Amino acid sequence: MAVGVGNVWRFPFVALDNGGGAFLIPYLLVLVFIGKPLYYLEFILGQFPSAGPVEVWGICPAFRGIGYGQAIATWAVSTFYVSLMEMCVFYFFASFSATLPWVVCGSWASSMCVDVTSNSTSYTANSTSGSQGGISAAEEYLVNEVLKVDPEGFRNGIGMPDWRLSLCLLLSWALVFIVQARGVRSSGRAAYFTALFPYVVLVAMLIRGVTLPGSLEGILFFLTPRWEMLLNPGVWYAAVDQALFSLTIGFGVVMTLASYNDFRNNVHLDATIISFADTFTSLLAGITTFAILGHLANEMGVEVSEVVKGGGTSLAFVSYPEALGKFTFAPQLFSAMFFLMMFTLGLGSAAAYNNVIITIISDRYPNVTKVWITLSVCVVGFLVGLLYTTPQGQYIVTLVNHYSGGVSIILLMVVELIAVMWVYGLRRLIRDIHFMLNRSTGLYWKVCWGAFNPLFLAIVFAYSQTQSQTLTYGTYVFGDIATGIGTALAAAAVAMVPIMFVKEVWIRYDASKGLRHSLANTFSITSEWGPKDPALNKEYCDLLAAEAQAAHRRPST
């Protein structure tokens, strides 16, 4: 799950949008002090009770809405993940052309187009526009031929779905269903291929990328620190957003997958290995991407930051195809392998995201066959995904990515930390970790969980939102209606917290002695929190009983 599209597709464009090296240092610091601790925490929360993101809130039912809010955000993100897979399918089939279609400027190209065989000198001499620089054939192919992006955005409403992309989307959802039809075991077997194959292709792309003229300038743009940017809260917000998204923290995915672990599984080691693999993959993809961007900048006579004229979300489908066109030996083979890799990355991520929704529905309706639940989720996902195949599809991706994949998740993560660390209590959690792993919790974890993580996330989120600017895609600025819809997406997820709080209080009201007692019960641990194994559960209950007796005998001060 952690090695996915978030590394190869999302990380490079977030780094580009935030100044390359200006983004790298905050990102690495956030991974060490935010990403790794929260990843370990969500592993613990899922594995200890063997429960998904809703049932886990037996630890404190007042916050059960966090699980439902995460499910809404996760479902929204999963729909655009499959839309990325759909684009990979399109490019995969296009790779079998005699000449890669994005290598030369075709009938879809504008006068600004620069193909792979051109350079900035020939472009400047031949351009009818008279402007410096240009737009690569790979970008024009993506924007004009594949996506058919409407430059007017939402001003013309939402157009009809493209039939070619719709068929690719249907195939993508069909494969997601096949992978998930037999549950988490079939997804796990597929992961051996989906997680390892990308490294083979990325290394091949990197080797080719660094041999291109101008690649060093791109790599230096990515790796050179800009210390003054550390004072920019927007960059820190982007770093937090990317770290949570890449590790899928706060989406309920980690909890769901951890719930299948054995109770004594060493999640401390798992969290260390996976967080390192995630960081390594992001850096590998970043260096590869910026090497190619440096070459494109050299060809078009522009700065690295100005290479991609359209929205940053399309970066992976511009830089990588451009490099593939430079392969002198069997470019079609390498292209097909690359987009197969991108598809498998998306498949692994989409399957994990969908698993959260399927698990929540299955827990709520245990008598319904999981295959039918999986099929229903995939069918609804396909129908919603048709929005991404319209000329406004990339604008919708930008909205969903920013609000559902960013704003709502960070806010829900803050509430989750408050619930676990300050309501349930850090001391109790440390006791539970010791019971499960027979491992003491060090000062690093205590400081990060108990104080630094919730305060830092809250401060960065609050400041970034008060200073936030209107969302854009390329040169298009989102209007009030689009911004309102995006805000509603985030609000729908966050609103589940107070809604479910009221429901939990209401459930307990009749059985309690009044509102005060029902409120107290809502903030108290339930039988859902504890090991599923009966023998381990009895041992845990005995531990709690002994702890309560010791506290009762302790003289008051």
Side-chain angles (χ1 to χ4, degrees):
M1 180 63 229
V3 177
V5 178
N7 306 96
V8 181
W9 165 72
R10 197 176 194 269
F11 174 79
F13 86 71
V14 174
L16 180 65
D17 288 346
N18 289 276
F23 172 76
L24 194 57
I25 292 177
Y27 178 69
L28 293 175
L29 289 174
V30 164
L31 281 173
V32 172
F33 295 105
I34 302 289
K36 183 179 177 180
L38 295 185
Y39 204 62
Y40 182 33
L41 173 64
E42 294 214 324
F43 257 130
I44 293 164
L45 292 177
Q47 182 171 299
F48 189 83
S50 300
V54 171
E55 300 301 318
V56 73
W57 288 103
I59 192 173
C60 187
F63 295 94
R64 197 179 298 275
I66 294 174
Y68 287 105
Q70 289 173 337
I72 292 173
T74 297
W75 179 77
V77 170
S78 73
T79 60
F80 84 66
Y81 253 57
V82 181
S83 77
L84 296 174
M85 293 165 57
E86 144 230 311
M87 293 168 62
C88 294
V89 172
F90 188 100
Y91 273 84
F92 176 78
F93 286 116
S95 300
F96 293 96
S97 304
T99 301
L100 294 178
W102 54 84
V103 170
V104 294
C105 299
S107 58
W108 34 263
S110 70
S111 61
M112 299 287 289
C113 183
V114 181
D115 64 41
V116 168
T117 60
S118 299
N119 54 47
S120 57
T121 303
S122 64
Y123 166 77
T124 304
N126 297 329
S127 172
T128 59
S129 65
S131 59
Q132 295 297 314
I135 304 176
S136 69
E139 182 172 2
E140 292 230 335
Y141 177 77
L142 172 68
V143 174
N144 298 334
E145 176 65 13
V146 180
L147 300 174
K148 294 182 169 61
V149 175
D150 183 354
E152 294 296 313
F154 295 112
R155 298 187 187 100
N156 298 323
I158 297 179
M160 293 296 294
D162 180 85
W163 68 272
R164 301 171 304 170
L165 292 179
S166 298
L167 289 177
C168 294
L169 182 70
L170 179 61
L171 176 60
S172 300
W173 273 109
L175 290 172
V176 170
F177 170 74
I178 291 171
V179 166
Q180 293 194 287
R182 294 182 58 194
V184 73
R185 291 189 183 276
S186 59
S187 301
R189 293 190 185 100
Y192 283 103
F193 176 75
T194 61
L196 298 177
F197 177 60
Y199 290 106
V200 177
V201 180
L202 274 177
V203 170
M205 295 288 291
L206 176 61
I207 293 172
R208 184 66 184 108
V210 296
T211 61
L212 297 172
S215 60
L216 181 60
E217 285 73 14
I219 295 173
L220 290 176
F221 179 83
F222 175 61
L223 296 178
T224 303
R226 292 173 175 79
W227 301 106
E228 69 278 4
M229 295 298 289
L230 294 179
L231 300 177
N232 184 351
V235 174
W236 286 98
Y237 175 82
V240 171
D241 181 23
Q242 174 59 24
L244 297 186
F245 192 97
S246 183
L247 286 168
T248 39
I249 298 168
F251 289 87
V253 176
V254 177
M255 291 184 197
T256 301
L257 297 180
S259 70
Y260 293 96
N261 286 344
D262 293 332
F263 184 75
R264 302 293 187 190
N265 180 62
N266 187 357
V267 287
H268 180 271
L269 179 62
D270 288 352
T272 301
I273 293 172
I274 297 173
S275 58
F276 171 80
D278 174 81
T279 306
F280 171 77
T281 309
S282 293
L283 294 177
L284 176 63
I287 292 173
T288 303
T289 301
F290 278 87
I292 300 165
L293 289 179
H295 170 66
L296 285 172
N298 180 67
E299 281 201 327
M300 295 189 293
V302 298
E303 297 296 325
V304 174
S305 59
E306 300 173 357
V307 170
V308 180
K309 300 292 195 299
T313 53
S314 61
L315 174 61
F317 292 93
V318 173
S319 59
Y320 292 119
E322 183 76 20
L324 291 165
K326 300 289 185 179
F327 277 68
T328 55
F329 173 74
Q332 291 86 353
L333 173 62
F334 284 99
S335 179
M337 288 179 60
F338 174 78
F339 288 108
L340 177 62
M341 175 208 77
M342 286 286 285
F343 183 86
T344 58
L345 287 175
L347 182 62
S349 300
Y353 277 117
N354 266 8
N355 196 35
V356 174
I357 313 303
I358 294 167
T359 299
I360 290 174
I361 298 174
S362 297
D363 289 345
R364 183 67 178 84
Y365 302 101
N367 295 325
V368 180
T369 306
K370 183 166 283 190
V371 172
W372 289 110
I373 294 175
T374 304
L375 179 61
S376 301
V377 170
C378 290
V379 169
V380 173
F382 166 72
L383 295 175
V384 173
L386 290 174
L387 288 171
Y388 301 115
T389 68
T390 66
Q392 289 73 30
Q394 290 306 293
Y395 302 104
I396 299 173
V397 166
T398 303
L399 277 176
V400 176
N401 176 45
H402 178 76
Y403 287 101
S404 289
V407 174
S408 60
I409 290 300
I410 293 178
L411 193 52
L412 287 171
M413 195 67 236
V414 172
V415 180
E416 180 181 313
L417 283 166
I418 293 172
V420 176
M421 298 303 159
W422 298 350
V423 178
Y424 179 67
L426 177 58
R427 185 177 298 177
R428 292 179 181 176
L429 181 71
I430 292 171
R431 173 204 62 202
D432 295 343
I433 295 172
H434 189 272
F435 177 80
M436 181 170 67
L437 303 179
N438 193 28
R439 180 186 184 87
S440 299
T441 300
L443 182 63
Y444 162 75
W445 305 104
K446 294 177 183 177
V447 172
C448 286
W449 288 339
F452 182 71
N453 288 176
L455 291 175
F456 180 82
L457 289 177
I459 291 171
V460 169
F461 175 81
Y463 190 85
S464 64
Q465 293 308 302
T466 58
Q467 302 296 317
S468 63
Q469 298 178 348
T470 305
L471 195 63
T472 61
Y473 175 80
T475 58
Y476 177 78
V477 179
F478 286 83
D480 293 339
I481 295 178
T483 303
I485 293 173
T487 304
L489 282 173
V494 176
M496 295 306 298
V497 178
I499 290 172
M500 293 308 299
F501 172 74
V502 173
K503 180 182 177 182
E504 292 291 330
V505 173
W506 181 262
I507 290 172
R508 289 161 175 77
Y509 183 77
D510 291 336
S512 67
K513 299 177 182 178
L515 180 61
R516 181 178 177 182
H517 286 83
S518 63
L519 285 171
N521 290 337
T522 305
F523 285 94
S524 300
I525 186 175
T526 73
S527 59
E528 292 174 313
W529 180 256
K532 290 291 185 187
D533 181 82
L536 288 171
N537 191 275
K538 182 179 184 305
E539 186 180 345
Y540 179 64
C541 290
D542 291 342
L543 173 66
L544 296 184
E547 187 180 82
Q549 289 179 359
H552 181 72
R553 289 195 301 266
R554 190 180 301 122
S556 58
T557 57

